[in-house]
Amino acid sequence: MTDPASGHPAVAHPTGARTAGGARHVVFVTWKTGNAPAFRAAARLGHEVTLVRSLRMERAQHIDFTTSPYRQDVDTVHVLDDATDEASLRDCLHAIHRQRPIDAFVATVDALVVPVARIAEELGVPFTSADGAATAKLKHRCREVLAAAGVDDTRHAVVTDHAAAAAFAAGTGYPVVLKPARGSASEGAHIVPDADRMRELWRTVRPGRPPYQDGVLVEQYLTGRFLSAELGLSHGRFLRLAVSERKTWHRHEALEVGTTIPAAIDADTYERVMAFAESVVSAVGLRLGIFHVEIMLADDGRPRLIELNPRLMGSCLPNLFQLAGGGDPFELLVRVHLDEEVETGDIAFDRFATVRWFGAADPVPRPADPPALDWAAEYGDTLHALTVNLPDAEVLAPCRGNLGNFGEVQVVHPDHATSIGVAEEIVARAAAQLGIEVTR
Protein backbone atom coordinates (compact mmCIF):
# COMPACT_ATOMS: atom_id res chain seq x y z
CA MET A 1 0.00 0.00 0.00
CA THR A 2 1.37 3.44 -0.92
CA ASP A 3 0.54 6.83 0.52
CA PRO A 4 -1.28 8.63 -2.31
CA ALA A 5 0.10 12.03 -1.39
CA SER A 6 3.80 11.32 -0.99
CA GLY A 7 4.53 8.07 -2.75
CA HIS A 8 6.02 6.69 0.47
CA PRO A 9 4.78 3.26 1.52
CA ALA A 10 1.87 3.09 3.92
CA VAL A 11 2.91 0.30 6.25
CA ALA A 12 0.11 -1.86 7.65
CA HIS A 13 0.40 -3.89 10.83
CA PRO A 14 -2.93 -5.74 11.12
CA THR A 15 -3.84 -6.65 14.68
CA GLY A 16 -7.00 -8.64 14.08
CA ALA A 17 -8.52 -7.90 17.46
CA ARG A 18 -8.62 -4.16 16.91
CA THR A 19 -9.64 -4.14 13.26
CA ALA A 20 -12.61 -6.46 13.77
CA GLY A 21 -16.09 -5.81 15.11
CA GLY A 22 -16.93 -2.41 16.57
CA ALA A 23 -13.45 -0.88 16.68
CA ARG A 24 -13.37 2.79 15.73
CA HIS A 25 -10.71 4.41 13.56
CA VAL A 26 -8.44 6.96 15.28
CA VAL A 27 -5.97 8.89 13.10
CA PHE A 28 -2.99 10.60 14.73
CA VAL A 29 -1.48 13.40 12.66
CA THR A 30 2.26 13.36 13.45
CA TRP A 31 3.79 12.39 16.77
CA LYS A 32 6.33 13.39 19.41
CA THR A 33 7.99 11.41 22.16
CA GLY A 34 5.73 13.00 24.74
CA ASN A 35 2.45 12.08 23.05
CA ALA A 36 3.29 8.60 21.68
CA PRO A 37 1.65 6.89 24.70
CA ALA A 38 -1.68 8.00 23.19
CA PHE A 39 -1.22 5.28 20.53
CA ARG A 40 -1.18 2.68 23.30
CA ALA A 41 -4.22 4.23 24.97
CA ALA A 42 -6.21 4.04 21.73
CA ALA A 43 -5.10 0.43 21.14
CA ARG A 44 -5.94 -0.52 24.73
CA LEU A 45 -9.43 0.89 24.18
CA GLY A 46 -9.78 -1.50 21.23
CA HIS A 47 -9.55 0.99 18.38
CA GLU A 48 -7.78 0.88 15.03
CA VAL A 49 -4.82 3.26 15.05
CA THR A 50 -3.42 5.07 12.01
CA LEU A 51 -0.45 7.43 12.16
CA VAL A 52 0.54 10.08 9.62
CA ARG A 53 4.25 10.72 10.02
CA SER A 54 6.10 13.89 8.99
CA LEU A 55 9.74 13.21 8.16
CA ARG A 56 10.73 16.85 8.32
CA MET A 57 9.24 17.23 11.80
CA GLU A 58 10.90 14.04 13.04
CA ARG A 59 14.30 15.16 11.79
CA ALA A 60 13.89 18.53 13.54
CA GLN A 61 13.09 16.78 16.83
CA HIS A 62 15.72 14.02 16.44
CA ILE A 63 13.12 11.26 16.88
CA ASP A 64 12.79 7.96 15.02
CA PHE A 65 9.45 6.17 14.89
CA THR A 66 11.08 2.88 13.89
CA THR A 67 12.78 2.67 17.31
CA SER A 68 9.81 3.88 19.37
CA PRO A 69 8.37 1.29 21.78
CA TYR A 70 4.92 2.59 20.81
CA ARG A 71 5.20 1.66 17.13
CA GLN A 72 3.68 -1.74 17.94
CA ASP A 73 0.44 0.02 18.92
CA VAL A 74 -0.02 1.54 15.45
CA ASP A 75 -1.85 -0.49 12.80
CA THR A 76 -1.07 1.60 9.71
CA VAL A 77 1.55 4.26 9.04
CA HIS A 78 1.42 6.85 6.25
CA VAL A 79 4.56 8.88 5.60
CA LEU A 80 4.66 12.47 4.38
CA ASP A 81 7.78 14.51 3.78
CA ASP A 82 6.18 17.52 5.47
CA ALA A 83 2.74 17.28 7.10
CA THR A 84 2.55 21.08 7.37
CA ASP A 85 2.08 21.13 3.57
CA GLU A 86 -1.69 21.37 3.85
CA ALA A 87 -2.42 20.20 0.30
CA SER A 88 -0.41 17.00 0.79
CA LEU A 89 -1.95 16.44 4.21
CA ARG A 90 -5.45 16.94 2.80
CA ASP A 91 -4.85 14.44 -0.02
CA CYS A 92 -3.51 11.89 2.45
CA LEU A 93 -6.33 12.24 4.99
CA HIS A 94 -9.06 12.19 2.35
CA ALA A 95 -7.56 8.99 0.92
CA ILE A 96 -7.40 7.38 4.37
CA HIS A 97 -11.03 8.34 4.98
CA ARG A 98 -12.16 6.82 1.69
CA GLN A 99 -10.44 3.54 2.51
CA ARG A 100 -11.58 3.34 6.16
CA PRO A 101 -13.86 6.12 7.50
CA ILE A 102 -12.17 8.14 10.23
CA ASP A 103 -13.93 8.44 13.59
CA ALA A 104 -11.46 10.74 15.33
CA PHE A 105 -8.41 12.87 14.66
CA VAL A 106 -5.74 13.50 17.30
CA ALA A 107 -3.28 16.33 16.60
CA THR A 108 -1.16 17.62 19.47
CA VAL A 109 1.53 19.53 17.53
CA ASP A 110 0.96 23.29 17.26
CA ALA A 111 1.60 23.54 13.54
CA LEU A 112 -0.97 20.85 12.70
CA VAL A 113 -4.01 21.73 14.81
CA VAL A 114 -5.46 24.34 12.44
CA PRO A 115 -5.02 22.40 9.17
CA VAL A 116 -6.38 19.22 10.76
CA ALA A 117 -9.36 21.20 12.08
CA ARG A 118 -10.11 22.45 8.56
CA ILE A 119 -9.83 18.98 7.04
CA ALA A 120 -11.92 17.45 9.83
CA GLU A 121 -14.73 19.88 9.02
CA GLU A 122 -14.53 18.92 5.34
CA LEU A 123 -14.84 15.24 6.25
CA GLY A 124 -17.45 15.69 8.97
CA VAL A 125 -15.19 14.24 11.68
CA PRO A 126 -15.54 15.70 15.21
CA PHE A 127 -12.60 17.93 16.13
CA THR A 128 -11.73 21.31 17.56
CA SER A 129 -13.41 24.22 15.73
CA ALA A 130 -11.29 25.38 12.78
CA ASP A 131 -12.24 29.03 13.33
CA GLY A 132 -11.59 28.75 17.07
CA ALA A 133 -8.23 27.05 16.58
CA ALA A 134 -7.16 29.67 14.01
CA THR A 135 -8.15 32.46 16.41
CA ALA A 136 -6.23 30.84 19.27
CA LYS A 137 -3.06 30.49 17.22
CA LEU A 138 -3.13 34.05 15.84
CA LYS A 139 -2.32 35.77 19.10
CA HIS A 140 -3.52 39.31 18.34
CA ARG A 141 -6.80 38.00 16.92
CA CYS A 142 -7.27 35.98 20.12
CA ARG A 143 -6.73 39.12 22.20
CA GLU A 144 -9.24 41.06 20.08
CA VAL A 145 -11.90 38.37 20.59
CA LEU A 146 -11.30 38.25 24.34
CA ALA A 147 -11.45 42.05 24.64
CA ALA A 148 -14.76 42.14 22.72
CA ALA A 149 -16.16 39.47 25.08
CA GLY A 150 -14.99 41.39 28.16
CA VAL A 151 -12.74 38.51 29.24
CA ASP A 152 -9.27 40.10 29.02
CA ASP A 153 -8.09 43.60 28.09
CA THR A 154 -4.31 43.17 27.87
CA ARG A 155 -2.95 45.92 25.63
CA HIS A 156 -1.30 44.79 22.39
CA ALA A 157 -0.48 45.85 18.83
CA VAL A 158 0.86 44.31 15.64
CA VAL A 159 3.79 46.42 14.43
CA THR A 160 5.82 46.53 11.26
CA ASP A 161 8.82 48.62 12.30
CA HIS A 162 10.85 49.91 15.20
CA ALA A 163 9.01 53.24 15.34
CA ALA A 164 5.64 51.55 15.89
CA ALA A 165 7.05 49.18 18.51
CA ALA A 166 8.72 52.05 20.35
CA ALA A 167 5.52 54.11 20.23
CA PHE A 168 3.55 51.24 21.78
CA ALA A 169 6.13 50.88 24.54
CA ALA A 170 6.04 54.62 25.19
CA GLY A 171 2.29 54.36 25.72
CA THR A 172 2.35 51.37 28.05
CA GLY A 173 5.75 51.83 29.65
CA TYR A 174 8.66 49.39 29.62
CA PRO A 175 9.08 46.48 29.88
CA VAL A 176 6.97 45.12 27.03
CA VAL A 177 6.73 41.72 25.37
CA LEU A 178 7.75 41.28 21.72
CA LYS A 179 6.93 37.98 20.02
CA PRO A 180 5.69 36.39 16.79
CA ALA A 181 1.99 36.94 16.10
CA ARG A 182 1.81 33.20 15.46
CA GLY A 183 4.42 30.94 16.98
CA SER A 184 5.29 28.30 19.53
CA ALA A 185 8.06 27.00 21.79
CA SER A 186 8.95 30.59 22.86
CA GLU A 187 10.96 31.01 19.64
CA GLY A 188 11.41 34.69 18.80
CA ALA A 189 9.83 35.90 22.06
CA HIS A 190 11.53 38.61 24.15
CA ILE A 191 10.90 40.69 27.24
CA VAL A 192 12.12 44.15 26.24
CA PRO A 193 13.25 46.12 29.32
CA ASP A 194 14.01 49.51 27.77
CA ALA A 195 14.32 51.62 24.62
CA ASP A 196 17.95 50.62 24.00
CA ARG A 197 17.08 46.93 23.96
CA MET A 198 14.10 47.61 21.66
CA ARG A 199 16.40 49.39 19.21
CA GLU A 200 18.92 46.54 19.40
CA LEU A 201 16.25 43.87 18.82
CA TRP A 202 14.92 45.56 15.70
CA ARG A 203 18.26 45.07 14.02
CA THR A 204 17.40 41.35 13.79
CA VAL A 205 13.58 41.25 13.78
CA ARG A 206 12.29 40.85 10.22
CA PRO A 207 8.49 41.06 9.86
CA GLY A 208 7.32 38.56 7.26
CA ARG A 209 10.23 36.19 7.86
CA PRO A 210 10.35 33.26 10.31
CA PRO A 211 9.49 33.28 13.10
CA TYR A 212 7.63 36.55 12.41
CA GLN A 213 6.03 35.48 9.11
CA ASP A 214 2.56 36.37 10.45
CA GLY A 215 3.63 39.62 12.02
CA VAL A 216 5.34 41.06 15.10
CA LEU A 217 3.20 41.43 18.20
CA VAL A 218 4.02 43.72 21.11
CA GLU A 219 2.10 43.36 24.35
CA GLN A 220 1.74 44.83 27.80
CA TYR A 221 4.11 43.08 30.22
CA LEU A 222 2.20 41.10 32.84
CA THR A 223 3.53 40.40 36.32
CA GLY A 224 2.47 37.90 38.94
CA ARG A 225 2.45 34.12 39.18
CA PHE A 226 2.86 32.15 35.94
CA LEU A 227 0.37 29.27 35.80
CA SER A 228 -1.39 27.13 33.23
CA ALA A 229 -4.81 25.53 33.25
CA GLU A 230 -5.22 22.11 31.66
CA LEU A 231 -8.84 21.45 30.77
CA GLY A 232 -10.99 19.52 28.35
CA LEU A 233 -14.26 20.32 26.62
CA SER A 234 -16.67 17.55 25.68
CA HIS A 235 -20.35 17.81 24.75
CA GLY A 236 -20.40 21.39 26.02
CA ARG A 237 -19.03 20.41 29.45
CA PHE A 238 -15.66 21.44 30.80
CA LEU A 239 -13.36 18.82 32.30
CA ARG A 240 -11.02 20.41 34.84
CA LEU A 241 -7.72 18.52 34.88
CA ALA A 242 -5.05 20.58 36.63
CA VAL A 243 -3.51 23.95 37.33
CA SER A 244 0.23 23.78 36.78
CA GLU A 245 2.92 26.25 37.85
CA ARG A 246 5.61 27.40 35.45
CA LYS A 247 9.17 28.65 35.84
CA THR A 248 11.09 30.96 33.50
CA TRP A 249 14.79 31.79 33.19
CA HIS A 250 15.75 35.06 34.84
CA ARG A 251 18.10 36.07 32.02
CA HIS A 252 15.46 35.58 29.31
CA GLU A 253 12.00 35.57 30.85
CA ALA A 254 10.32 34.39 27.66
CA LEU A 255 12.06 31.01 28.04
CA GLU A 256 10.23 28.44 30.15
CA VAL A 257 12.59 26.15 32.05
CA GLY A 258 10.14 24.02 33.97
CA THR A 259 6.72 23.08 35.29
CA THR A 260 5.30 21.50 38.42
CA ILE A 261 1.96 19.65 38.45
CA PRO A 262 -0.17 20.47 40.37
CA ALA A 263 0.47 24.08 41.37
CA ALA A 264 0.67 24.77 45.09
CA ILE A 265 -2.40 27.02 45.27
CA ASP A 266 -5.48 27.18 47.47
CA ALA A 267 -8.99 26.20 46.41
CA ASP A 268 -10.14 29.79 45.79
CA THR A 269 -7.20 30.47 43.48
CA TYR A 270 -7.80 27.19 41.64
CA GLU A 271 -11.44 28.14 41.06
CA ARG A 272 -10.53 31.63 39.84
CA VAL A 273 -7.90 30.33 37.40
CA MET A 274 -10.10 27.54 36.02
CA ALA A 275 -13.14 29.81 35.64
CA PHE A 276 -11.01 32.30 33.71
CA ALA A 277 -9.61 29.55 31.45
CA GLU A 278 -13.13 28.33 30.71
CA SER A 279 -14.22 31.85 29.78
CA VAL A 280 -11.25 32.14 27.40
CA VAL A 281 -12.02 28.83 25.67
CA SER A 282 -15.72 29.72 25.40
CA ALA A 283 -15.09 33.19 23.98
CA VAL A 284 -12.75 31.84 21.30
CA GLY A 285 -15.23 29.12 20.34
CA LEU A 286 -13.21 25.94 20.79
CA ARG A 287 -15.85 23.24 20.87
CA LEU A 288 -14.04 19.97 21.59
CA GLY A 289 -10.62 18.89 22.81
CA ILE A 290 -8.11 19.21 25.63
CA PHE A 291 -6.51 22.63 25.94
CA HIS A 292 -3.48 24.28 27.54
CA VAL A 293 -4.17 27.84 28.73
CA GLU A 294 -1.20 29.87 29.99
CA ILE A 295 -2.16 32.49 32.56
CA MET A 296 -0.52 35.20 34.63
CA LEU A 297 -2.17 35.52 38.04
CA ALA A 298 -1.58 39.11 39.13
CA ASP A 299 -0.77 40.05 42.70
CA ASP A 300 -4.34 41.36 43.06
CA GLY A 301 -5.64 37.88 42.16
CA ARG A 302 -6.79 38.79 38.65
CA PRO A 303 -5.99 36.20 35.94
CA ARG A 304 -4.75 37.47 32.57
CA LEU A 305 -4.12 35.42 29.44
CA ILE A 306 -0.60 34.81 28.23
CA GLU A 307 -1.41 32.26 25.53
CA LEU A 308 -4.19 29.86 24.50
CA ASN A 309 -3.08 26.55 22.97
CA PRO A 310 -5.89 24.51 21.35
CA ARG A 311 -4.16 21.20 22.09
CA LEU A 312 -3.00 18.96 24.90
CA MET A 313 -0.19 20.24 27.15
CA GLY A 314 3.12 19.60 25.42
CA SER A 315 6.48 17.94 25.99
CA CYS A 316 6.51 15.53 28.96
CA LEU A 317 3.69 17.30 30.83
CA PRO A 318 1.08 14.58 30.20
CA ASN A 319 3.52 12.17 31.81
CA LEU A 320 3.95 14.53 34.79
CA PHE A 321 0.17 14.61 35.14
CA GLN A 322 0.19 10.81 35.48
CA LEU A 323 3.18 10.79 37.85
CA ALA A 324 1.40 13.25 40.14
CA GLY A 325 -1.59 10.91 40.38
CA GLY A 326 -3.99 12.57 37.95
CA GLY A 327 -4.76 9.46 35.89
CA ASP A 328 -4.20 8.69 32.21
CA PRO A 329 -4.51 11.88 30.08
CA PHE A 330 -3.93 9.91 26.87
CA GLU A 331 -7.00 7.73 27.28
CA LEU A 332 -8.97 10.87 28.06
CA LEU A 333 -7.55 12.56 24.94
CA VAL A 334 -8.67 9.69 22.70
CA ARG A 335 -12.13 9.47 24.24
CA VAL A 336 -12.72 13.23 23.99
CA HIS A 337 -11.76 13.26 20.31
CA LEU A 338 -14.02 10.28 19.67
CA ASP A 339 -16.75 12.63 20.94
CA GLU A 340 -17.67 10.30 23.77
CA GLU A 341 -19.51 11.35 26.92
CA VAL A 342 -16.65 11.66 29.41
CA GLU A 343 -16.66 11.98 33.18
CA THR A 344 -13.38 12.64 35.00
CA GLY A 345 -14.74 13.04 38.51
CA ASP A 346 -12.66 14.92 41.06
CA ILE A 347 -8.93 14.56 40.33
CA ALA A 348 -7.01 14.28 43.60
CA PHE A 349 -3.24 14.52 43.18
CA ASP A 350 -1.14 12.84 45.87
CA ARG A 351 2.30 13.87 44.59
CA PHE A 352 4.05 16.82 42.91
CA ALA A 353 5.74 16.12 39.60
CA THR A 354 8.38 18.58 38.39
CA VAL A 355 10.26 18.92 35.12
CA ARG A 356 13.28 21.11 34.47
CA TRP A 357 14.61 21.65 30.95
CA PHE A 358 18.03 23.12 30.24
CA GLY A 359 20.30 24.20 27.42
CA ALA A 360 23.43 26.30 27.02
CA ALA A 361 23.15 29.76 28.57
CA ASP A 362 25.76 31.18 26.18
CA PRO A 363 27.61 30.00 23.06
CA VAL A 364 30.22 27.51 24.30
CA PRO A 365 32.34 24.74 22.76
CA ARG A 366 30.59 21.40 22.96
CA PRO A 367 31.95 19.33 25.88
CA ALA A 368 34.24 16.61 24.53
CA ASP A 369 32.49 13.72 26.24
CA PRO A 370 28.87 13.11 27.22
CA PRO A 371 28.43 13.27 30.99
CA ALA A 372 28.40 10.04 32.99
CA LEU A 373 25.20 10.14 35.00
CA ASP A 374 25.83 7.22 37.40
CA TRP A 375 25.27 9.50 40.39
CA ALA A 376 21.60 9.88 39.42
CA ALA A 377 20.86 6.53 41.07
CA GLU A 378 21.31 8.25 44.45
CA TYR A 379 17.86 9.81 44.04
CA GLY A 380 16.03 6.50 43.81
CA ASP A 381 12.36 6.60 42.88
CA THR A 382 12.24 10.39 43.32
CA LEU A 383 14.06 10.80 40.01
CA HIS A 384 11.84 9.55 37.23
CA ALA A 385 13.98 10.57 34.23
CA LEU A 386 17.24 12.35 33.41
CA THR A 387 18.40 12.83 29.83
CA VAL A 388 21.29 14.85 28.40
CA ASN A 389 21.53 14.74 24.60
CA LEU A 390 24.11 17.23 23.38
CA PRO A 391 23.61 18.40 19.78
CA ASP A 392 26.13 17.34 17.17
CA ALA A 393 27.84 20.72 16.80
CA GLU A 394 31.24 22.14 17.62
CA VAL A 395 29.66 25.08 19.45
CA LEU A 396 26.49 24.84 21.53
CA ALA A 397 24.09 27.60 20.52
CA PRO A 398 22.56 29.63 23.36
CA CYS A 399 19.12 28.33 24.29
CA ARG A 400 16.50 31.04 23.76
CA GLY A 401 13.51 28.84 22.93
CA ASN A 402 12.23 25.43 23.94
CA LEU A 403 13.77 23.80 20.87
CA GLY A 404 17.24 24.67 22.19
CA ASN A 405 17.05 22.44 25.26
CA PHE A 406 19.36 19.42 25.41
CA GLY A 407 18.60 18.25 28.96
CA GLU A 408 15.51 17.21 30.90
CA VAL A 409 14.91 16.15 34.51
CA GLN A 410 11.64 14.67 35.81
CA VAL A 411 11.12 14.34 39.57
CA VAL A 412 8.15 13.20 41.64
CA HIS A 413 7.74 13.63 45.42
CA PRO A 414 4.90 14.00 47.94
CA ASP A 415 6.30 17.36 49.08
CA HIS A 416 6.05 20.38 46.76
CA ALA A 417 9.28 22.11 47.79
CA THR A 418 11.24 18.85 47.72
CA SER A 419 10.04 18.00 44.22
CA ILE A 420 11.28 21.34 42.91
CA GLY A 421 14.44 21.36 45.01
CA VAL A 422 15.60 17.92 43.86
CA ALA A 423 14.95 18.77 40.20
CA GLU A 424 16.98 21.97 40.46
CA GLU A 425 19.78 20.22 42.36
CA ILE A 426 20.08 17.61 39.59
CA VAL A 427 20.26 20.33 36.93
CA ALA A 428 23.04 22.04 38.91
CA ARG A 429 25.01 18.79 39.19
CA ALA A 430 24.63 18.06 35.47
CA ALA A 431 25.79 21.59 34.62
CA ALA A 432 28.83 21.26 36.89
CA GLN A 433 29.71 17.98 35.24
CA LEU A 434 29.39 19.53 31.78
CA GLY A 435 31.46 22.50 32.93
CA ILE A 436 29.11 25.09 31.38
CA GLU A 437 26.39 27.48 32.53
CA VAL A 438 22.91 26.29 31.60
CA THR A 439 19.46 27.84 31.51
CA ARG A 440 17.76 27.16 34.84
Side-chain angles (χ1 to χ4, degrees), residues 220-365:
Q220 176 185 353
Y221 176 72
L222 303 177
T223 61
R225 190 168 183 184
F226 186 13
L227 304 169
S228 64
E230 325 300 342
L231 74 165
L233 179 58
S234 173
H235 290 266
R237 294 174 51 254
F238 282 105
L239 310 170
R240 294 182 172 184
L241 305 182
V243 174
S244 310
E245 60 187 72
R246 328 281 289 181
K247 185 178 190 301
T248 60
W249 186 37
H250 69 283
R251 280 181 51 188
H252 184 68
E253 280 186 71
L255 178 66
E256 294 178 40
V257 295
T259 297
T260 298
I261 301 178
I265 55 177
D266 61 31
D268 288 344
T269 302
Y270 178 91
E271 175 62 33
R272 192 160 54 250
V273 169
M274 277 297 188
F276 175 75
E278 291 172 0
S279 68
V280 168
V281 170
S282 296
V284 170
L286 298 172
R287 62 171 176 249
L288 178 152
I290 298 181
F291 311 118
H292 174 69
V293 189
E294 297 185 358
I295 293 165
M296 187 67 75
L297 185 66
D299 293 337
D300 63 3
R302 180 186 178 190
R304 306 285 287 273
L305 182 73
I306 295 178
E307 186 171 279
L308 170 60
N309 293 282
R311 44 91 179 148
L312 181 71
M313 51 188 154
S315 185
C316 66
L317 301 193
N319 185 53
L320 290 191
F321 180 86
Q322 285 185 288
L323 289 173
D328 186 348
F330 300 109
E331 182 172 317
L332 180 65
L333 177 71
V334 172
R335 294 188 61 205
V336 166
H337 281 282
L338 280 166
D339 205 23
E340 295 181 5
E341 293 275 5
V342 177
E343 285 283 353
T344 59
D346 292 330
I347 296 173
F349 295 100
D350 56 7
R351 297 175 294 280
F352 293 91
T354 297
V355 63
R356 287 293 181 264
W357 302 291
F358 55 95
D362 302 293
V364 291

Side-chain angles (χ1 to χ4, degrees), residues 1 152 183 192 205 212 216 225-226 268:
M1 183 163 47
D152 192 299
V192 188
V205 170
Y212 306 103
V216 181
R225 190 168 183 184
F226 186 13
D268 288 344

Side-chain angles (χ1 to χ4, degrees), residues 116-273:
V116 170
R118 293 192 192 109
I119 297 166
E121 289 187 356
E122 295 167 8
L123 297 175
V125 177
F127 195 68
T128 302
S129 156
D131 286 345
T135 295
K137 293 310 299 174
L138 198 57
K139 295 179 175 65
H140 60 283
R141 174 59 183 153
C142 184
R143 291 216 176 276
E144 290 163 2
V145 168
L146 296 182
V151 173
D152 192 299
D153 60 359
T154 300
R155 296 179 65 182
H156 65 282
V158 176
V159 298
T160 57
D161 55 28
H162 169 258
F168 175 88
T172 60
Y174 286 98
V176 296
V177 181
L178 183 150
K179 61 187 178 183
R182 188 198 312 271
S184 60
S186 300
E187 299 293 328
H190 301 271
I191 308 301
V192 188
D194 52 41
D196 289 342
R197 178 60 177 151
M198 181 70 82
R199 191 175 302 107
E200 179 186 348
L201 265 178
W202 272 92
R203 294 173 185 156
T204 57
V205 170
R206 296 289 182 268
R209 299 182 187 176
Y212 306 103
Q213 59 266 39
D214 293 295
V216 181
L217 179 63
V218 287
E219 295 179 337
Q220 176 185 353
Y221 176 72
L222 303 177
T223 61
R225 190 168 183 184
F226 186 13
L227 304 169
S228 64
E230 325 300 342
L231 74 165
L233 179 58
S234 173
H235 290 266
R237 294 174 51 254
F238 282 105
L239 310 170
R240 294 182 172 184
L241 305 182
V243 174
S244 310
E245 60 187 72
R246 328 281 289 181
K247 185 178 190 301
T248 60
W249 186 37
H250 69 283
R251 280 181 51 188
H252 184 68
E253 280 186 71
L255 178 66
E256 294 178 40
V257 295
T259 297
T260 298
I261 301 178
I265 55 177
D266 61 31
D268 288 344
T269 302
Y270 178 91
E271 175 62 33
R272 192 160 54 250
V273 169

